[in-house]
Amino acid sequence: GAVVSQHPSRVICKSGTSVKIECRSLDFQATTMFWYRQFPKQSLMLMATSNEGSKATYEQGVEKDKFLINHASLTLSTLTVTSAHPEDSSFYICSASGLSAGSYNEQFFGPGTRLTVL
Amino acid sequence: AQSVAQPEDQVNVAEGNPLTVKCTYSVSGNPYLFWYVQYPNRGLQFLLKYITGDNLVKGSYGFEAEFNKSQTSFHLKKPSALVSDSALYFCAVRGLNQAGTALIFGKGTTLSVSS
């Protein structure tokens, strides 16, 4: 099956710093990548959708200047949390879809990145 | 608006007994339905999906789900639960077959299987 990786798996940073999270599709071309945020014991909330080579589409209430998303290639998307604050601490999960992975109907999820802002 | 409801926060079953995790949906058009499982501090693992065809869908790890259009439900089932099935389960839906359409998740149901 299609594999998606995320790096790092866990990051701790000081308040005010920026953190970059990478999401890679390892064995298929990800036309579209999605970024989700999950609070403890809660569901995944979609933050943004990015299509390769285009600007990301952000969900209502998500600050695009704070959560910078880049999808420059068919195998890599990055999420940068700028000037992170403790309230940004969360579990960030990416997913990817693409025809080369079988169909557009299915998303393949990364293992997630645990961000802790001190 | 598309939505998914998982009415139970937690389901408790004894090992060896059948389990059901409930999901209902609301979409315009034909629903594309999914079940995912999440273990602590891990990403989501795909279990099964319904796109079209047979209403009973078989998936990974012995799980199956039945699509019921009249009741707008897609309940997850397993004939005999294992302790290792204990995890957080998410039902999700997409409305149309278009690239770029994200999944809408239910709030999740914690399954606890006791030995």
Side-chain angles (χ1 to χ4, degrees), chain A residues 10-69:
Chain A
R10 188 182 298 266
V11 57
I12 301 172
C13 69
K14 293 182 179 180
S15 184
T17 61
S18 294
V19 174
K20 180 184 284 188
I21 303 170
E22 293 185 348
C23 177
R24 293 182 184 272
S25 57
L26 299 184
D27 51 4
F28 69 102
Q29 293 183 329
T31 310
T32 305
M33 287 187 169
F34 306 89
W35 286 95
Y36 294 86
R37 182 174 181 177
Q38 184 182 29
F39 291 103
K41 297 186 179 181
Q42 293 190 28
S43 188
L44 282 73
M45 300 300 296
L46 178 66
M47 298 175 67
T49 303
S50 71
N51 294 301
E52 187 266 337
S54 302
K55 288 185 177 180
T57 301
Y58 290 81
E59 295 300 299
Q60 192 172 8
V62 178
E63 299 176 60
K64 62 180 181 180
D65 293 332
K66 181 169 186 61
F67 298 99
L68 301 178
I69 292 172

Side-chain angles (χ1 to χ4, degrees), chain A residues 64-83:
Chain A
K64 62 180 181 180
D65 293 332
K66 181 169 186 61
F67 298 99
L68 301 178
I69 292 172
N70 183 281
H71 190 173
S73 77
L74 285 171
T75 60
L76 174 64
S77 176
T78 61
L79 167 67
T80 301
V81 183
T82 62
S83 187

Side-chain angles (χ1 to χ4, degrees), chain A residues 10 32 34 36 38 41-44 46 49 51 91 93 97 103-107 109-112 114, chain B residues 32 34 36 38 41-44 46 49 51 88 90 94 97-103 105-108:
Chain A
R10 188 182 298 266
T32 305
F34 306 89
Y36 294 86
Q38 184 182 29
K41 297 186 179 181
Q42 293 190 28
S43 188
L44 282 73
L46 178 66
T49 303
N51 294 301
F91 195 52
I93 303 175
S97 68
S103 74
Y104 288 121
N105 293 326
E106 190 169 339
Q107 292 181 27
F109 285 81
R114 172 73 60 192
Chain B
Y32 292 177
F34 303 81
Y36 288 86
Q38 185 182 35
N41 293 312
R42 302 285 296 277
L44 273 66
F46 170 79
K49 66 182 177 184
I51 304 298
L88 183 58
F90 290 103
R94 285 181 59 189
N97 184 18
Q98 293 178 358
T101 304
L103 292 172
F105 287 89
K107 65 179 181 178

